Amino acid sequence: MSVRKNLARIAFLAGIVGPSMNPARADSPPAPDGRFRLGIEYEHEKSADGRERADALTLIPGIKWRSGWLTMTELLIETEQEREAGRVTDRAGKLGIRLRKDFAVSERTRLVLRGLLGRALNGNERYTYAYLEPSLKYAFDDLEMMMGFRAVRAVDGTQGHDFNKFRIGPSFDLGQASEIEFRFVRNWEAATGRHASDAYIVEFVHKF
């Protein structure tokens, strides 16, 4: 089965999972107790030796909750192309559900904990993976800086997909309804500690 067909299934599943995250009851108000968000993320990654590159585009619909224990629930739908010597060598797709909880440390400082469970479709290889990411965010007058660590693991025992990532970068508010984020990511193999790749990420988020 082609990656394109797999991504079509992912998109169909996203349409089912998204509304089911907050089922409506007959006696509940029509709007959920949260604010809907839609993010679009572009990532450019290059291997440590510079020989391989990858470009990924991720659609991130989510809800930032006004009440309750969780801060945010998101669905990630990703498509990726890998290149070597200027030609496409592989295509992949991923689908994941991510949960986030914020903890206020001070008026300007927050500790953010995010966790994701997902499924990757890479040619004939399929595997289930997860990550846990604690990060620290500090708000200045015009921007917010974040620094975080992400531990990525294949939870079904598939080899070659365990990585640790250091993430850092600013976020800027573009009015009350949107924001833009920039991230630099250093990626290394969990087992050996070998530097695997670096990535540059930009994400635009619109809040409805």
Side-chain angles (χ1 to χ4, degrees):
M1 184 178 293
S2 68
V3 171
R4 181 173 297 179
K5 290 182 179 179
N6 287 329
L7 291 177
R9 289 186 174 184
I10 286 174
F12 175 74
L13 180 60
I16 296 175
V17 173
S20 66
M21 290 189 297
N22 189 41
R25 299 182 308 172
D27 58 348
S28 64
D33 188 21
R35 187 176 186 184
F36 183 73
R37 303 156 49 96
L38 182 62
I40 300 176
E41 178 185 280
Y42 168 73
E43 177 178 354
H44 176 71
E45 183 178 14
K46 60 180 180 180
S47 61
D49 59 12
R51 297 174 57 185
E52 299 178 5
R53 298 174 184 267
D55 295 289
L57 192 64
T58 306
L59 188 67
I60 312 173
I63 296 177
K64 187 171 184 179
W65 303 106
R66 296 189 180 99
S67 61
W69 188 82
L70 278 177
T71 302
M72 195 177 303
T73 305
E74 296 173 302
L75 185 68
L76 282 73
I77 309 163
E78 177 183 325
T79 180
E80 180 184 79
Q81 285 189 345
E82 298 179 3
R83 292 182 174 85
E84 187 173 357
R87 65 183 184 87
V88 175
T89 58
D90 206 354
R91 292 181 172 86
K94 293 179 179 178
L95 174 67
I97 295 178
R98 184 167 67 192
L99 305 179
R100 168 177 157 179
K101 174 63 178 177
D102 292 9
F103 302 89
V105 179
S106 68
E107 184 179 353
R108 290 179 175 266
T109 308
R110 289 180 295 142
L111 177 65
V112 178
L113 185 62
R114 299 198 299 181
L116 177 140
L117 179 65
R119 184 72 173 168
L121 313 173
N122 187 353
N124 294 323
E125 183 182 39
R126 304 183 181 189
Y127 63 95
T128 302
Y129 70 102
Y131 67 66
L132 185 66
E133 179 189 313
S135 63
L136 189 67
K137 294 192 174 187
Y138 185 85
F140 295 89
D141 292 337
D142 299 323
L143 64 92
E144 184 177 65
M145 282 294 301
M146 74 81 64
M147 180 174 63
F149 174 84
R150 178 181 294 180
V152 185
R153 300 292 185 267
V155 297
D156 59 2
T158 304
Q159 300 297 312
H161 301 288
D162 294 349
F163 295 96
N164 295 322
K165 299 173 183 275
F166 173 74
R167 297 165 52 85
I168 190 169
S171 304
F172 301 89
D173 284 331
L174 304 177
Q176 296 183 347
S178 58
E179 65 183 53
I180 190 167
E181 298 181 355
F182 299 94
R183 300 287 185 260
F184 168 76
V185 182
R186 173 63 55 94
N187 184 26
W188 64 93
E189 295 176 354
T192 65
R194 184 182 68 88
H195 177 203
S197 64
D198 290 325
Y200 304 88
I201 299 172
V202 58
E203 179 183 352
F204 174 79
V205 178
H206 185 75
K207 308 165 189 177
F208 296 88

